[in-house]
Amino acid sequence: MAREVLQKNDPVFSDRTVPDAVRAHQHHEFGLPFVPVSPLWRSLRKVCNLHIFSSQKLDANQHLRRRKVEQLLATVRDSGRLGEAVDIGQAAFSAIVNLLSNSIFSVDLADSNAQSSLEFKKTVWSIMEEAGKPNLADYFPLLRKIDPQGIRRRMTVHFGKLLELFDRMYDQRLQLRKGKGFATTNDVLDTLIDITEGKTEELNRTQTIHLLKVLFVAGTDTISSTLEWAMAELLHSPEVLLKAKEELEKAIGKAKWVEESHVDRLPYLRAIIKETFRMHPAVPLLIPRKAGPNAEICGFTVPEGAQVLVNVWAIGRDPSVWEMPNSFMPERFLNSAIDVKGRDFELIPFGGGRRICPGLPLAIRMLHLMLGSLINCFDWKLEDGVTPENMNMEEKFGITLQKAKPLRAIPIPV
Ligand code: HEM
């Protein structure tokens, strides 16, 4: 059924329904996930594919990811020295915010322990949470004006904070570029300003600011909660963790951090990431699609305008597709060609078709680097009283799927 929607009938289902929540700041008119397939959508995707996530761009800024992973390991090492537990999701979140802000603005936006970083995470999670709440205004459009649950009102505040921040950074760069002797840094912001101010009319400033906001919102919580789930599953299944550590030691050496060039030699690590995506897809219902005219799936007519949700979470746990679906068994991917790139419909955490997640190549690189390094450089102990058997593995549902109880574990440097 997912294949019918995302591949076979892709053009008919490639627009999205617009939740009232994302009408805040007219985000649905400018922001990538919600604009309909149109010249603006093509321009935004082109900028992403060509200037941000192409293999060439990602290879060229590999050093940034390495540096951010090194900083993450240093913070974790400090906690280890003090015998303190690390909040894995929070630590990963700061690393990713900094990675994105370095690739985009050439600055660090998050300090792993700073209040500003916690604030930033709270804002991003509040956006995910509000966007995931059932909203009466979506089912009874007459209620939109009243916004009975206050969802759009709160979204206006959260969006406003991020838009203001990025607008300020855009302005600062414009001023800097006017200065004498300015040499372009070739970061994403410079590229976007070249496009926006270059009168190619491909993107205007408002669209660019919304794009920046989308990159941070869509890219941070998704990667950090996937990493947190992966670590939680490893601590929950010590035999899997041991096997992963053995592979790392053999392939790259004990206590070394993982480089992107190592990942080809780490099939078990890759299988762990796929298994995490199967059980804990970060966006469990994808981002809703909308049926166009004459939509038909498997012989059923779908009314024009209907909202179509693809339940990736259920596909990943379907017993007719997966053996022992509720067990974390990376081995199932060892001799399998199944990948997450939108062609194998039993595993589609990034969606599929023309609206597949453009951040996939960055997410995959980051997850391997961070997870591999965290388990190769440290042994991990659960906090007092928590054992692999009694760990809380419950989920918290927003538009993304988080761990209800944040994972905290004490690192012991190897
Ligand atoms: C574990 C990491 C991630 C997961 C699981 C994920 C998942 C998804 C999913 C399921 C969709 C909807 C696809 C569809 O409708 O078929 C999506 C769309 C999108 N994602 Fe991601 N994503 C991740 C990371 C990222 C990153 C790192 C970025 C950017 C920095 C990003 C940016 C976007 C954007 C802009 C869209 C909207 C695309 C469009 O509507 O054309 N994502 N993502």
Side-chain angles (χ1 to χ4, degrees):
M1 204 67 118
R3 186 196 307 278
E4 288 270 325
V5 173
L6 300 175
Q7 189 181 58
K8 218 168 138 195
N9 298 296
D10 184 26
V12 186
F13 292 98
S14 54
D15 285 344
R16 310 224 187 251
T17 48
V18 174
D20 193 49
V22 304
R23 290 176 196 271
H25 291 274
Q26 278 83 45
H27 181 63
H28 63 296
E29 288 174 20
F30 314 114
L32 220 191
F34 295 99
V35 287
V37 169
S38 58
L40 170 60
W41 175 80
R42 283 190 193 92
S43 296
L44 291 165
R45 293 283 309 204
K46 193 171 124 199
V47 167
C48 284
N49 295 341
L50 212 66
H51 299 296
I52 309 179
F53 301 118
S54 67
S55 312
Q56 212 186 3
K57 280 275 168 189
L58 289 177
D59 284 345
N61 61 22
Q62 229 182 102
H63 61 287
L64 288 178
R65 284 186 293 283
R66 187 184 315 131
R67 210 182 309 145
K68 293 302 126 192
V69 173
E70 272 174 50
Q71 280 172 10
L72 169 69
L73 297 179
T75 316
V76 171
R77 203 168 298 120
D78 287 346
S79 301
R81 231 175 264 134
L82 298 169
E84 278 175 357
V86 175
D87 179 328
I88 305 285
Q90 178 66 44
F93 186 88
S94 301
I96 295 155
V97 168
N98 282 340
L99 172 80
L100 285 174
S101 60
N102 269 279
S103 337
I104 295 174
F105 303 111
S106 308
V107 297
D108 277 351
L109 267 185
D111 172 339
S112 55
N113 294 313
Q115 192 57 29
S116 58
S117 168
L118 298 177
E119 272 288 312
F120 194 87
K121 183 168 165 57
K122 220 169 95 191
T123 306
V124 171
W125 170 241
S126 305
I127 289 174
M128 296 299 190
E129 201 177 20
E130 298 291 352
K133 273 183 193 160
N135 186 350
L136 280 173
D138 288 332
Y139 300 98
F140 304 100
L142 269 179
L143 294 178
R144 271 194 206 151
K145 262 206 172 107
I146 314 170
D147 183 21
Q149 290 147 272
I151 293 180
R152 199 179 58 244
R153 185 166 36 78
R154 288 191 296 277
M155 276 299 236
T156 306
V157 175
H158 303 317
F159 277 5
K161 281 188 193 161
L162 298 184
L163 292 171
E164 209 179 285
L165 172 69
F166 297 138
D167 201 55
R168 212 167 45 237
M169 298 186 85
Y170 188 100
D171 255 346
Q172 283 167 353
R173 180 65 59 88
L174 271 186
Q175 292 309 321
L176 214 65
R177 285 163 66 110
K178 285 184 193 146
K180 254 200 197 145
F182 171 80
T184 176
T185 54
N186 269 333
D187 60 7
V188 176
L189 184 58
D190 265 333
T191 311
L192 288 178
I193 290 180
D194 287 341
I195 295 170
T196 309
E197 309 287 320
K199 318 282 178 265
T200 55
E201 292 183 14
E202 229 182 329
L203 288 184
N204 65 33
R205 177 172 168 148
T206 310
Q207 292 156 352
T208 299
I209 302 290
H210 278 263
L211 174 62
L212 295 174
K213 191 200 77 172
V214 165
L215 295 178
F216 277 89
V217 172
T220 43
D221 184 55
T222 43
I223 302 185
S224 63
S225 59
T226 306
L227 183 86
E228 185 178 13
W229 278 116
M231 282 290 285
E233 289 292 357
L234 292 181
L235 293 177
H236 194 46
S237 315
E239 67 293 346
V240 177
L241 176 58
L242 191 68
K243 232 169 135 177
K245 279 168 100 61
E246 281 169 7
E247 178 188 74
L248 282 157
E249 192 178 331
K250 233 195 223 153
I252 68 169
K254 208 175 173 117
K256 299 259 167 50
W257 61 66
V258 172
E259 303 262 3
E260 290 180 14
S261 56
H262 295 149
V263 175
D264 277 351
R265 282 184 267 149
L266 298 166
Y268 198 63
L269 181 70
R270 297 200 305 273
I272 289 173
I273 297 291
K274 285 183 189 168
E275 183 68 340
T276 307
F277 276 132
R278 180 186 70 78
M279 288 187 76
H280 308 286
V283 192
L285 300 177
L286 303 186
I287 308 177
R289 303 293 188 97
K290 184 167 82 176
N294 308 318
E296 211 185 284
I297 307 178
C298 301
F300 294 100
T301 301
V302 184
E304 187 173 346
Q307 170 165 267
V308 179
L309 303 173
V310 177
N311 192 342
V312 183
W313 188 93
I315 295 174
R317 305 223 182 193
D318 184 342
S320 69
V321 179
W322 304 102
E323 228 174 85
M324 297 175 64
N326 292 320
S327 300
F328 189 80
M329 300 190 318
E331 287 73 12
R332 66 175 93 237
F333 288 111
L334 278 182
N335 291 312
S336 143
I338 294 179
D339 207 345
V340 293
K341 295 187 179 148
R343 286 183 297 268
D344 305 308
F345 285 84
E346 49 279 74
L347 189 69
I348 43 168
F350 293 95
R354 70 174 80 178
R355 288 208 93 131
I356 192 171
C357 173
L360 184 157
L362 173 71
I364 291 290
R365 288 185 193 220
M366 278 307 284
L367 283 167
H368 289 128
L369 285 192
M370 290 197 295
L371 184 67
S373 301
L374 285 174
I375 58 181
N376 199 34
C377 296
F378 300 95
D379 291 324
W380 291 89
K381 209 174 85 191
L382 289 163
E383 268 192 317
D384 280 350
V386 184
T387 62
E389 297 76 35
N390 75 6
M391 276 174 77
N392 182 334
M393 302 292 277
E394 272 169 44
E395 296 160 325
K396 178 167 93 174
F397 185 76
I399 200 166
T400 55
L401 195 68
Q402 295 218 338
K403 209 168 162 295
K405 183 152 182 9
L407 174 66
R408 296 177 56 83
I410 303 167
I412 303 160
V414 172

